[in-house]
Amino acid sequence: MSIQKPEDLLSIVISSELPPSPNSRQLFINQDQQDEEASDCPLLTPSPPPTQTDEALQSPPIFNALEGAPLEIIPTPTLENINTEDGLNFMNIVNSSSKPLNDEPSSRDPMVESTSSGSSSDTNEPVCAQLLTQLNTAYQHLAPDAQALFYNQENGGKPPLVGIQLVVPKPPKDYRFMKWNWPLIRKTCYWSLMSILTGCAALVIGIIATMPKKCDPPVEWWQGSTFYEIFPASFQDSTKGADGIGDLRGIITRLDYLRDLGIRAVRLNSIFPAPHYPEYYSNISNMTDVNRELGTLDDFSVLVREIHERNMSIVLDLPLHPFVKRSISDAKTNETERAPLRERRDLADGATIHDALPSASSASVEVIRDVLSLPLQEMNRQTLPPGPSARQQEHPVSEAVRIWQQRGVDGFYLKGLEHYVDEDTFVSDLRYWRSLLRPGSIFICHVSALDAATSAARNSILSRIDLIDVTLRLSNGTRNIKAQIESVTKGVLFDKPAYPWIHWSVGGVDTNRVASTVTVKNASMAASLLSMMLPGTPNIFYGDEIGIEDCECRDHKDLAHVHNLVPMYWEKEADGSGSSFSPSGVTAWLPEAGKPMKTSLKNTIAEMTRLRMEATPVYVKAVLRDSQIAANCDVRYVEDEMIVIERWYPRRNSYVFVANFGNETRIKDLSSLYYGGHVVVGPKYRINRNVYFKELAVPPGEAFVIKLDK
């Protein structure tokens, strides 16, 4: 029956007592559990309404609307009433553990009532297996059927409730991963992951720590370094000798001074025995011994050790001319004198053979000797590689290179090599001398040897010489200086990267002092800074770093060729301590140099050597531009005895050298070239100060280096 009810009232059937049956209690317990699980269930689609009969409409409803009456309490349907045909068909909510685990999934219609089972769950399975093996789990939800509600309302009936069922198929019972040792697996995975992360972090830190701070091109020890040339007899006289002539022990006492200057290699002019040393130092008698005025071989060994301990190298000048020609001529003379003796010995040997074989004629003996000797000669010519001849092994230069290398020398200046480039054996001799050098040792020669050589000799010099010495002449003005620099930087030495580097010199044992050459006396240090600004390896002649001049010796006019070899001037400390060239009371072999002219460039040589080691644009020789090597040096201005030189490098700040070799202060507007920068090398009052090229003032004899702004 159906009772009319207002649309805003709803009757609720409340059970007065619970069925005492255990099955019914289990039913509600399962129902509560299923409801909790159903709350997490995804959207469920209601089933189509089943065909209902009139008896179904007459069954007592669970929800009864009230018509102006109080809430009616209707007895709670029991389990038997719920499952009868005259009510709504509900499906028993069956737990996954209520059926055996080996049952197959049901093939019945999910809307058909499922069979309930009272079997208990398998308590031997783990909880994870129970969660994963939900078998025929039915989720129910009560929802009105829209179609049934439409038809029943016409007849005054109430909407039926339809059960909704979701069936989860049962997976296989035996899961292999359930037998795995999961605690051990978790620990292994955790610590493996931590180890990998730690290793990656250590690798990244190691790469960052070992990464070079600057990606500068690599160079050898002699490339871009600063050399210091010493005439040993005029550098420092030791107290032990005290004869007015400098010696090897005196050089040892001044090595710390060279180290503070930033010197990388010490070059000794001539240390070999000579009859009238040091006045006629070039007239040597051999190239394998030390002049007794300078010390002994033991003193030389100590000098080499002390130089190497200060991370410096030692280079010797080998005066090839005229000593080598004279030595070879003497050897030829001795060979000529020994020739008659050898001929007489050969004749005697021939007579002995003739006497031993009286029955054989001389012609037959010669034929047999030729037949036996020719195959052996041909075999030697074909199998044995060509080696050095006896002449090359006994050559004075070969002997000197071998012996001095054993004593620790790191390089040789082949002085006078230009006098031998026309000889037929020049290429083979130079190749053999080069083969005698150990790794890291070098050869130096003057640019005149390259200019005098032709064809094969020229190629041999370019491939086997490491440094080409170029002497800058400063007496003809800055325009001439520019021409000399560009003749080198645009010449053959910059055609290929493997060609020799330039060994720039502004003074030397064969030239006058810079301070005596330029018109401004205090421009000597500016000239040294100029050579250190050029691409290559600069060379400083002793005393030029402080500006000493040639000796004005009226009593020694016959020694004009050594007036530039004036003994070194050593400045004493403020308290009067410190030593001079010779001990007190000892007269030097030449008058000692006087006190140099005061200059604002004091201590700038050490600053410049430091800059050469740090600034890539200054110490490199050249750069590759459009697949061609080019000198990274431009002479930008040479007017009014002023010179402006720029050194540049890709993606780096450029450096500009400015010097005034005139007698007047120059104020120039060079804003068309550059805007500004700050001084990194120069007078103290300019260091680290900003400089603008709009109004650039340079006093006479002054020079400084500017690091340009980007």
Side-chain angles (χ1 to χ4, degrees):
M1 294 183 299
S2 61
I3 302 173
Q4 298 295 328
K5 58 180 181 62
E7 295 180 357
D8 55 348
L9 296 178
L10 178 66
S11 64
I12 302 174
V13 179
I14 300 177
S15 175
S16 61
E17 61 179 359
L18 293 175
S21 174
N23 294 332
S24 62
R25 183 180 299 110
Q26 183 66 27
L27 171 63
F28 283 98
I29 294 175
N30 294 338
Q31 180 68 35
D32 295 338
Q33 296 176 354
Q34 294 288 344
D35 291 341
E36 294 177 0
E37 297 175 356
S39 62
D40 298 331
C41 183
L43 180 63
L44 302 176
T45 304
S47 302
T51 305
Q52 297 182 2
T53 60
D54 295 339
E55 290 78 7
L57 296 176
Q58 300 298 329
S59 61
I62 295 178
F63 296 92
N64 295 327
L66 298 180
E67 299 179 358
L71 184 63
E72 181 183 359
I73 299 178
I74 302 174
T76 304
T78 62
L79 182 61
E80 291 77 9
N81 295 330
I82 293 176
N83 292 327
T84 56
E85 296 180 356
D86 56 349
L88 296 176
N89 292 328
F90 285 86
M91 303 302 297
N92 289 333
I93 302 173
V94 182
N95 198 321
S96 60
S97 62
S98 63
K99 293 185 66 177
L101 294 177
N102 55 359
D103 289 347
E104 296 297 330
S106 176
S107 61
R108 297 193 301 269
D109 190 345
M111 296 305 299
V112 181
E113 178 184 12
S114 62
T115 305
S116 62
S117 175
S119 62
S120 61
S121 62
D122 189 0
T123 59
N124 296 327
E125 293 182 349
V127 176
C128 57
Q130 296 179 21
L131 296 175
L132 293 173
T133 56
Q134 299 282 344
L135 304 177
N136 296 331
T137 302
Y139 293 87
Q140 296 197 27
H141 189 75
L142 302 181
D145 189 293
Q147 184 177 2
L149 178 62
F150 175 79
Y151 289 108
N152 290 335
Q153 283 182 349
E154 292 182 353
N155 300 327
K158 294 184 173 55
L161 298 178
V162 181
I164 303 171
Q165 182 183 25
L166 176 65
V167 178
V168 179
K170 183 191 75 172
K173 175 183 177 182
D174 187 12
Y175 295 98
R176 293 185 179 179
F177 62 84
M178 296 302 303
K179 299 179 181 180
W180 297 352
N181 190 347
W182 285 104
L184 180 60
I185 292 174
R186 287 194 298 270
K187 291 180 180 180
T188 303
C189 293
Y190 173 77
W191 289 114
S192 299
L193 178 62
M194 295 302 296
S195 300
I196 293 174
L197 293 177
T198 304
C200 292
L203 179 62
V204 172
I205 294 174
I207 293 175
I208 295 175
T210 57
M211 185 179 298
K213 296 181 180 179
K214 298 186 295 184
C215 298
D216 298 335
V219 293
E220 300 291 341
W221 66 266
W222 45 270
Q223 294 177 334
S225 304
T226 304
F227 283 38
Y228 192 86
E229 182 180 354
I230 296 176
F231 185 72
S234 298
F235 193 63
Q236 177 65 64
D237 183 17
S238 65
T239 56
K240 185 175 182 179
D243 54 358
I245 299 176
D247 49 34
L248 300 179
R249 290 193 184 95
I251 298 175
I252 295 174
T253 61
R254 297 295 183 178
L255 288 180
D256 291 338
Y257 166 78
L258 302 180
R259 180 190 58 190
D260 296 339
L261 281 179
I263 302 302
R264 184 63 180 83
V266 178
R267 174 184 158 197
L268 302 181
N269 289 126
S270 181
I271 62 171
F272 309 116
H276 302 283
Y277 188 88
E279 289 83 1
Y280 299 95
Y281 63 91
S282 60
N283 189 22
I284 64 174
S285 58
N286 68 76
M287 292 193 301
T288 58
D289 203 355
V290 176
N291 194 300
R292 62 181 182 179
E293 303 291 343
L294 300 178
T296 63
L297 289 176
D298 293 337
D299 296 332
F300 183 82
S301 299
V302 175
L303 174 63
V304 172
R305 184 178 68 251
E306 294 294 330
I307 289 176
H308 289 166
E309 287 180 356
R310 290 167 174 79
N311 196 28
M312 295 187 294
S313 303
I314 182 170
V315 178
L316 284 185
D317 285 9
L318 296 181
L320 275 61
H321 182 79
F323 172 73
V324 173
K325 284 186 178 294
R326 186 170 63 248
S327 300
I328 294 176
S329 299
D330 294 343
K332 289 182 178 179
T333 302
N334 295 335
E335 187 72 16
T336 303
E337 293 176 354
R338 289 194 296 268
L341 179 62
R342 186 182 301 107
E343 292 177 358
R344 290 193 297 270
R345 186 180 298 120
D346 293 341
L347 291 175
D349 294 341
T352 303
I353 295 175
H354 181 74
D355 295 340
L357 301 173
S359 59
S361 63
S362 60
S364 61
V365 171
E366 291 177 0
V367 170
I368 294 173
R369 183 173 58 190
D370 293 337
V371 170
L372 294 176
S373 61
L374 281 176
L376 181 61
Q377 293 176 357
E378 293 296 332
M379 181 182 66
N380 291 338
R381 187 179 297 109
Q382 295 177 3
T383 59
L384 296 179
S389 62
R391 184 195 64 81
Q392 289 178 337
Q393 295 180 359
E394 297 175 358
H395 198 280
V397 177
S398 303
E399 185 180 8
V401 170
R402 282 195 299 264
I403 291 177
W404 289 112
Q405 277 199 123
Q406 295 174 0
R407 295 169 181 170
V409 175
D410 302 301
F412 303 92
Y413 188 114
L414 303 178
K415 299 195 67 175
L417 188 66
E418 59 273 11
H419 298 281
Y420 303 94
V421 294
D422 294 333
E423 295 184 358
D424 297 336
T425 60
F426 175 79
V427 175
S428 59
D429 289 346
L430 187 58
R431 180 173 59 247
Y432 178 67
W433 299 341
R434 183 71 192 188
S435 66
L436 297 177
L437 290 182
R438 63 172 181 264
S441 298
I442 62 172
F443 273 153
I444 309 174
C445 74
H446 197 266
V447 68
S448 57
L450 185 65
D451 296 338
T454 58
S455 186
R458 185 183 184 89
N459 294 333
S460 181
I461 292 175
L462 292 175
S463 60
R464 293 179 174 86
I465 299 296
D466 301 291
L467 290 173
I468 300 294
D469 186 23
V470 176
T471 303
L472 286 177
R473 299 177 300 275
L474 306 177
S475 58
N476 296 327
T478 55
R479 289 183 178 272
N480 183 262
I481 295 175
K482 177 182 179 180
Q484 295 179 65
I485 294 173
E486 290 183 347
S487 66
V488 175
T489 57
K490 297 180 180 179
V492 66
L493 293 175
F494 286 85
D495 287 345
K496 295 182 180 180
Y499 279 176
W501 277 46
I502 312 300
H503 185 263
W504 298 99
S505 300
V506 294
V509 68
D510 299 322
T511 61
N512 293 330
R513 288 281 173 182
V514 177
S516 300
T517 303
V518 296
T519 57
V520 183
K521 299 300 182 181
N522 63 342
S524 173
M525 299 180 67
S528 298
L529 293 178
L530 171 63
S531 67
M532 299 177 71
M533 193 64 184
L534 299 177
T537 300
N539 179 71
I540 300 175
F541 192 49
Y542 81 96
D544 285 348
E545 75 275 10
I546 58 176
I548 64 176
E549 302 179 63
D550 291 340
C551 173
E552 296 181 0
C553 309
R554 298 179 180 179
D555 298 336
H556 300 83
K557 293 183 179 181
D558 57 329
L559 301 178
H561 62 286
V562 294
H563 282 183
N564 61 325
L565 304 180
V566 57
M568 180 68 172
Y569 172 82
W570 296 105
E571 186 175 0
K572 296 183 179 182
E573 301 294 337
D575 56 357
S577 62
S579 61
S580 59
F581 170 74
S582 292
S584 178
V586 177
T587 303
W589 71 281
L590 276 180
E592 297 184 24
K595 186 176 182 179
M597 182 177 293
K598 292 183 178 181
T599 176
S600 60
L601 300 180
K602 186 177 181 180
N603 300 325
T604 54
I605 299 297
E607 297 174 358
M608 192 65 188
T609 55
R610 192 179 303 110
L611 179 66
R612 289 192 63 87
M613 292 186 292
E614 298 174 354
T616 305
V618 181
Y619 79 77
V620 297
K621 171 189 174 184
V623 296
L624 285 175
R625 175 187 288 179
D626 299 332
S627 301
Q628 293 182 353
I629 185 172
N632 62 332
C633 175
D634 295 322
V635 182
R636 304 297 302 274
Y637 186 84
V638 288
E639 298 294 336
D640 297 330
E641 296 304 316
M642 281 187 60
I643 186 169
V644 178
I645 301 175
E646 178 186 357
R647 296 295 305 279
W648 52 271
Y649 194 79
R651 297 178 297 277
R652 302 292 178 92
N653 294 80
S654 297
Y655 291 82
V656 174
F657 172 81
V658 180
N660 181 11
F661 290 99
N663 294 313
E664 299 178 0
T665 300
R666 302 294 181 181
I667 301 176
K668 296 291 182 178
D669 181 6
L670 302 179
S671 57
S672 60
L673 300 177
Y674 315 105
Y675 174 73
H678 64 277
V679 177
V680 293
V681 175
K684 290 185 177 180
Y685 72 92
R686 288 185 181 269
I687 291 295
N688 297 326
R689 292 183 178 271
N690 292 331
V691 175
Y692 300 98
F693 288 86
K694 180 67 176 178
E695 189 175 354
L696 188 64
V698 186
E702 188 173 287
F704 47 89
V705 179
I706 303 171
K707 183 178 181 180
L708 297 181
D709 298 331
K710 288 188 177 181

